[in-house]
Amino acid sequence: MKATKHHISDEMLIAYSAGTLPEAFALVVAAHVSMCDGCRTTLSAFDAVGGAVLERCSAVKVSDGCLAATLARIARGDAPRRPECCKDAVLPKPVVDYVGGGLDAVRWRPISGGARQAVLCADKAATARLVYLPAGSAVPDHSHRGIELTLVLKGAFRDETGHFAPGDVETSAEELTHRPVAEPGAPCICLTATEAPLRYRSLLVRILQPFLHI
Amino acid sequence: MDDTDGVQLLLRIRDHQDSAAFADLFLHYAPRVKAFLMKSGADHAVAEECTQDVMATLWHKAHMFDPGRASVATWIFTIARNRRIDALRKARRPEPEDLLWGPEDEPDPAEALELQQESARLGQAIALLPEKQRDLIERAYFGDLSHSEIAAQTGLPLGTIKSRLRLALERLRQQMT
């Protein structure tokens, strides 16, 4: 795979390692790390910090029966496993786990102008979704109330800040209003995580926002 | 516990389902896992319950432990962290795709030894950090405090927290090279 140019920030990797990211952001980080050996190495360094922190914890006494209870738990059998999903040429494994299959299994919903989306997980903090942009088309102009991560899975897009190819992640800050456009020639498929509902400039879109789930 | 001792114990569990080796690892790590979970906001009962889960998972997943990729403490930390997300935050933990490695690419013993020594050095480097920086790193990893909550508790503004965390990690990196 071509070396990625745009990576996950150290702060975001630390938060993923510490386990404090909202699930939607954790999904984008896991997907990027699946595609990027550099970030995988950095992440394992941050996990090692977590290991050192655990090792430094002053022991808290466990109950007398704790070991026996754990051995009984072990004897009861293996931990339940999630069924193994198929591999996919476009979707990295963590995304396949959420879709419940490969690209063919994604349940797309139309947004506008041929663009489509599929929400993969959503909670109070953030939403993760797959977005499909036809070749050469633009995402409606939007600004963010919070941080947005966009990971390219297929095709490419360009906006005011640069060019993004498969494996690249764009981290958009709160104040950024940008206009991503899919490169001509092929559709662009991205995985995004957004901290809060997007704030569109168009009043109509803003009114429709709760219904469109974008 | 010496890092290489921990690896030997875990390999005995992995290869021989050795319950004496498990008891030794349990004696060292179960009280630390419980402490970690309580620092993360769990009460005694929940922490005790989750500690049993974490240690049982260690047994069941011992075949996935790779001494060329993580120290025993790091590996147990990742299990405890994931259990915390599951039990305390009721959220799923998306994990990266596992790098494929089969019996034919058993980790190189020299590489494994080097990684274990590096982990020990990282522990020493953290111990040598100024207390304030170390405290910040620990709080970040206990995970029940967001950056803004840390700011509220210590009275430090958010920018300072972030730059201190960065500085702490920068110093860690320097110590490691």
Side-chain angles (χ1 to χ4, degrees):
Chain A
M1 176 168 295
K2 218 179 64 183
T4 45
K5 279 187 305 183
H6 304 277
H7 299 273
I8 301 276
S9 69
D10 275 2
E11 273 178 19
M12 195 79 78
L13 280 175
I14 293 167
Y16 176 77
S17 172
T20 49
L21 280 183
E23 188 178 334
F25 281 80
L27 177 57
V28 178
V29 173
H32 174 75
V33 168
S34 302
M35 303 166 84
C36 175
D37 291 344
C39 285
R40 189 188 286 273
T41 305
T42 310
L43 176 62
S44 67
F46 291 140
D47 282 347
V49 175
V53 168
L54 173 70
E55 191 68 70
R56 284 182 55 82
C57 280
S58 347
V60 171
K61 197 179 173 311
V62 294
S63 66
D64 293 338
C66 192
L67 174 59
T70 306
L71 289 171
R73 220 172 261 233
I74 290 169
R76 278 202 295 275
D78 209 339
R81 285 181 193 179
R82 284 217 177 81
E84 277 297 307
C85 268
C86 50
K87 286 206 91 170
D88 189 77
V90 172
L91 305 182
K93 185 176 171 297
V95 178
V96 168
D97 290 344
Y98 274 79
V99 169
L103 197 53
D104 300 343
V106 175
R107 295 218 288 274
W108 295 107
R109 299 273 181 275
I111 317 174
S112 66
R116 291 180 269 168
Q117 68 158 354
V119 173
L120 299 185
C121 74
D123 58 25
K124 270 188 302 189
T127 300
R129 49 168 72 79
L130 286 167
V131 176
Y132 173 101
L133 290 175
S137 74
V139 175
D141 217 9
H142 68 259
S143 55
H144 312 281
R145 221 176 293 170
I147 294 169
E148 182 182 66
L149 282 185
T150 305
L151 167 68
V152 179
L153 300 174
K154 187 178 163 60
F157 76 84
R158 182 180 291 282
D159 69 7
E160 291 81 349
T161 67
H163 176 264
F164 298 84
D168 283 335
V169 184
E170 177 176 54
T171 307
S172 320
E174 213 162 333
E175 54 286 355
L176 182 71
T177 297
H178 62 143
R179 188 176 163 79
V181 179
E183 293 286 46
C188 179
I189 297 174
C190 296
L191 173 67
T192 69
T194 20
E195 219 183 339
L198 301 178
R199 201 166 35 191
Y200 282 81
R201 280 179 174 169
S202 142
L203 183 62
L204 182 64
V205 180
R206 199 182 295 176
I207 291 165
L208 288 176
Q209 202 173 318
F211 305 100
L212 294 172
H213 295 289
I214 52 176
Chain B
M1 176 174 291
D2 190 279
D3 290 276
T4 45
D5 292 349
V7 170
Q8 291 316 313
L9 291 172
L10 197 42
L11 294 182
R12 272 162 57 196
I13 297 169
R14 185 186 79 176
D15 299 333
H16 308 290
Q17 289 78 51
D18 186 332
S19 47
F22 181 77
D24 283 351
L25 269 186
F26 189 94
L27 188 68
H28 182 79
Y29 281 109
R32 283 173 175 75
V33 169
K34 185 172 176 184
F36 173 80
L37 292 167
M38 289 183 67
K39 293 262 194 189
S40 301
D43 63 23
H44 260 284
V46 171
E48 179 100 6
E49 182 80 12
C50 288
T51 298
Q52 293 180 18
D53 282 340
V54 169
M55 296 311 287
T57 303
L58 174 145
W59 176 284
H60 289 307
K61 292 197 168 166
H63 64 281
M64 292 170 73
F65 174 69
D66 174 356
R69 294 218 315 245
S71 73
V72 174
T74 299
W75 194 60
I76 296 176
F77 157 73
T78 60
I79 297 172
R81 172 200 63 201
N82 292 1
R83 187 72 193 97
R84 182 187 74 202
I85 292 171
D86 189 43
L88 303 186
R89 281 185 35 204
K90 315 278 183 218
R92 258 172 92 173
R93 168 72 178 185
E95 285 284 340
E97 180 162 8
D98 249 325
L99 289 176
L100 292 174
W101 63 284
E104 68 278 9
D105 24 55
E106 270 287 316
D108 174 10
E111 223 171 83
L113 183 65
E114 194 183 331
L115 186 130
Q116 300 304 324
Q117 287 170 344
E118 229 172 61
S119 304
R121 274 177 26 229
L122 176 67
Q124 288 156 9
I126 288 177
L128 290 174
L129 283 175
E131 198 185 333
K132 273 189 178 166
Q133 290 186 12
R134 187 172 57 238
D135 188 52
L136 218 57
I137 289 180
E138 288 179 341
R139 281 165 177 236
Y141 277 84
F142 294 139
D144 66 327
L145 295 172
S146 65
H147 285 306
S148 45
E149 285 167 326
I150 293 173
Q153 286 226 347
T154 58
L156 292 169
L158 198 62
T160 316
I161 297 281
K162 285 186 177 171
S163 63
R164 279 201 190 176
L165 190 53
R166 246 198 309 270
L167 184 68
L169 285 157
E170 202 42 59
R171 289 191 58 153
L172 275 178
R173 282 198 186 128
Q174 284 166 7
Q175 304 249 12
M176 294 297 292
T177 49

